[in-house]
């Protein structure tokens, strides 16, 4: 019998550990703690172990900090001997950048294992935390992990960009305002990440292109009616069009805030209130413009038996991604709704910097 968790289950455990402030160990020789959830006691423990700890941040965050990113996509900021928890958080989180822009002088390390540091950043990103990690080299990582009952992860597993298999869990009839012939399908990934949903309207012909939308979850817009984005009107507009046509599939993907999570999205909103646009705010946090994975949508469509779609979107990247994943986009159907005085600049940034056809 094999009760020990496999690598997928260990990665899920590592994400949970990092969110709670528990360290994880990379088997290439590194102790990893998420900067966002690090507490003073564990910071003191890191110092007590000796060795040169670094705070790894992404190249995007390094640009804001004016820190040298010797590997381009990551920077290793040497942890000063007198570094406090507030210093770590100030480097990782741009919340206080405008009031106190000088964090340094920051000493960045040229040497180190880029693969380990990329793996650490990938893990904290997957945990929906700020992309910054305190990393301490370890001589015998496996023994250290076993001695301290910590989760041990191979660096290449943390960097694996493969899509976790999606399993259909249940579907049930769901009468909707736009169509009484509604059905909700639940899909759950093997890796323990967020579930995703498909709303099927009517009985779409699997042999024909189906009217479809890949809609990323937006708590503020979809549920609260936020005027800062056009997500809520797009969701309701797409469902209404499917209801009018009598058939369609809306994929509701749990990739809040372009894949950075609701907490980080709110951090980005706070930066937008300081005058930064959507893309600039993401970069200051250390993220790319868009961290979503549209392969999830393609996989769900395939699992439901669809091979071609008429895609409701203003985003050419979604069209390209669907085609690349084996879902033929026979038509891009525009969805231009929801502009108001509060989101005009947001939509302009989408068009200018993200290529949306508005």
């Amino acid at each position: 019998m094999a009760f020990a968790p496999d690598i997928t289950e260990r990665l899920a455990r590592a994400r949970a550990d990092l969110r709670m402030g528990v360290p994880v160990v990379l088997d290439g020789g590194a102790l990893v703690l998420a900067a966002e959830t690090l507490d003073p006691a564990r910071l003191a423990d890191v110092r007590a172990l000796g060795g040169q700890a670094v705070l790894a941040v992404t190249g995007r965050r390094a640009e804001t900090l004016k820190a040298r990113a010797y590997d381009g996509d990551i920077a290793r900021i040497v942890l000063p001997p007198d570094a406090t928890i507030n210093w770590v958080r100030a480097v990782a989180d741009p919340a206080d950048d405008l009031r106190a822009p000088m964090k340094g002088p920051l000493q960045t390390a040229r040497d180190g294992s880029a693969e380990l540091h990329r793996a650490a950043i990938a893990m904290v990103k997957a945990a929906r935390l700020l992309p910054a990690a305190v990393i301490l080299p370890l001589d015998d990582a496996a023994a250290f992990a076993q001695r301290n009952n910590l989760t041990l992860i191979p660096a290449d597993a943390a960097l694996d960009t493969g899509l976790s298999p999606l399993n259909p869990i249940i579907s049930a009839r769901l009468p909707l305002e736009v169509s009484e012939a509604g059905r909700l399908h639940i899909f759950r990934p093997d890796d323990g990440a967020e579930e995703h949903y498909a709303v099927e309207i009517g009985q779409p012909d699997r042999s024909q292109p189906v009217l479809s939308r890949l809609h990323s979850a937006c708590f503020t817009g979809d549920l609260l009616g936020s005027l800062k984005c056009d997500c809520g009107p797009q969701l309701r507009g797409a469902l209404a069009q499917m209801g009018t046509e009598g058939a369609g599939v809306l994929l509701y993907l749990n990739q809040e805030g372009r894949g950075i999570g609701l907490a980080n999205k709110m951090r980005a909103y706070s930066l937008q209130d300081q005058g930064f646009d959507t893309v600039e705010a993401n970069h200051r946090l250390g993220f790319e413009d868009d961290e979503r994975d549209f392969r999830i949508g393609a996989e769900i469509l395939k699992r439901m038996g669809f091979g071609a779609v008429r895609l409701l979107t203003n985003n050419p990247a979604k069209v390209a991604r669907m085609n690349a994943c084996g879902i033929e986009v026979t038509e891009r159907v525009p969805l231009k709704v929801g502009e108001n005085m509060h989101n005009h600049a947001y939509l302009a940034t989408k068009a200018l910097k993200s290529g949306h056809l508005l």
Side-chain angles (χ1 to χ4, degrees), residues 63-181:
E63 290 173 13
T64 296
L65 296 168
K66 303 297 186 291
R68 291 290 298 273
Y70 288 107
D71 291 293
D73 58 337
I74 53 171
R76 308 174 187 90
I77 299 170
V78 175
L79 209 65
D82 59 348
T84 64
I85 196 70
N86 289 334
W87 181 90
V88 172
R89 289 175 181 163
V91 173
D93 188 344
D96 202 33
D97 279 359
L98 292 191
R99 190 183 68 81
M102 295 301 293
K103 310 295 183 189
L106 299 174
Q107 179 187 351
T108 52
R110 183 187 295 270
D111 299 323
S113 172
E115 182 183 25
L116 288 180
H117 295 166
R118 289 190 183 100
I121 293 291
M123 286 197 300
V124 292
K125 273 188 176 184
R128 297 290 187 262
L129 299 171
L130 285 167
V134 171
I135 302 170
L136 181 71
L138 296 173
D139 290 330
D140 192 339
F144 184 89
Q146 185 175 28
R147 189 164 60 248
N148 292 278
N149 197 25
L150 298 176
T151 305
L152 180 68
I153 299 292
D156 58 353
L159 289 167
D160 184 3
T161 58
L163 184 66
S164 178
L166 285 159
N167 304 302
I169 302 303
I170 187 66
S171 70
R173 187 177 66 86
L174 183 67
L176 302 171
E177 289 183 357
V178 298
S179 172
E180 292 185 6

Side-chain angles (χ1 to χ4, degrees), residues 21-323:
V22 178
V24 240
V25 175
L26 289 171
D27 70 357
L31 181 70
V32 177
L33 301 98
E36 180 178 339
T37 54
L38 182 66
D39 61 37
R42 284 205 165 100
L43 179 58
D45 290 341
V46 168
R47 283 212 193 86
L49 287 171
Q52 181 57 72
V54 299
L55 176 56
V57 298
T58 65
R60 292 296 192 187
R61 179 65 182 144
E63 290 173 13
T64 296
L65 296 168
K66 303 297 186 291
R68 291 290 298 273
Y70 288 107
D71 291 293
D73 58 337
I74 53 171
R76 308 174 187 90
I77 299 170
V78 175
L79 209 65
D82 59 348
T84 64
I85 196 70
N86 289 334
W87 181 90
V88 172
R89 289 175 181 163
V91 173
D93 188 344
D96 202 33
D97 279 359
L98 292 191
R99 190 183 68 81
M102 295 301 293
K103 310 295 183 189
L106 299 174
Q107 179 187 351
T108 52
R110 183 187 295 270
D111 299 323
S113 172
E115 182 183 25
L116 288 180
H117 295 166
R118 289 190 183 100
I121 293 291
M123 286 197 300
V124 292
K125 273 188 176 184
R128 297 290 187 262
L129 299 171
L130 285 167
V134 171
I135 302 170
L136 181 71
L138 296 173
D139 290 330
D140 192 339
F144 184 89
Q146 185 175 28
R147 189 164 60 248
N148 292 278
N149 197 25
L150 298 176
T151 305
L152 180 68
I153 299 292
D156 58 353
L159 289 167
D160 184 3
T161 58
L163 184 66
S164 178
L166 285 159
N167 304 302
I169 302 303
I170 187 66
S171 70
R173 187 177 66 86
L174 183 67
L176 302 171
E177 289 183 357
V178 298
S179 172
E180 292 185 6
R183 193 169 193 85
L184 182 63
H185 303 255
I186 309 297
F187 290 84
R188 182 178 298 157
D190 276 353
D191 66 1
E194 296 91 346
E195 294 175 345
H196 306 283
Y197 319 123
V199 182
E200 184 174 10
I201 302 296
Q203 295 180 327
D205 185 347
R206 264 61 174 173
S207 68
Q208 298 296 320
V210 62
L211 183 64
S212 182
R213 171 161 175 78
L214 276 66
H215 188 89
S216 298
C218 178
F219 172 77
T220 51
D222 298 342
L223 188 63
L224 302 182
S226 167
L227 299 176
K228 282 182 68 69
C229 63
D230 56 344
C231 301
Q234 284 191 325
L235 172 65
R236 290 179 282 278
L239 286 172
Q241 189 163 338
M242 292 173 190
T244 299
E245 293 196 12
V249 176
L250 184 137
L251 306 181
Y252 198 86
L253 308 179
N254 273 311
Q255 301 190 103
E256 181 84 43
R258 296 185 181 176
I260 66 177
L262 183 58
N264 287 322
K265 173 180 163 179
M266 289 300 97
R267 289 184 170 111
Y269 274 17
S270 179
L271 292 172
Q272 289 169 35
D273 287 342
Q274 297 174 19
F276 300 103
D277 67 32
T278 311
V279 171
E280 291 167 342
N282 267 29
H283 290 179
R284 292 184 78 87
L285 286 165
F287 295 103
E288 295 301 321
D289 304 19
D290 194 334
E291 299 268 351
R292 289 175 292 182
D293 189 346
F294 294 125
R295 295 177 300 175
I296 296 169
E299 183 63 22
I300 291 175
L301 286 167
K302 291 176 184 177
R303 295 300 299 264
M304 293 181 69
F306 297 105
V309 295
R310 296 165 51 228
L311 195 63
L312 276 159
T313 185
N314 304 320
N315 185 356
K318 286 185 180 179
V319 175
R321 198 59 176 151
M322 288 299 98
N323 283 322

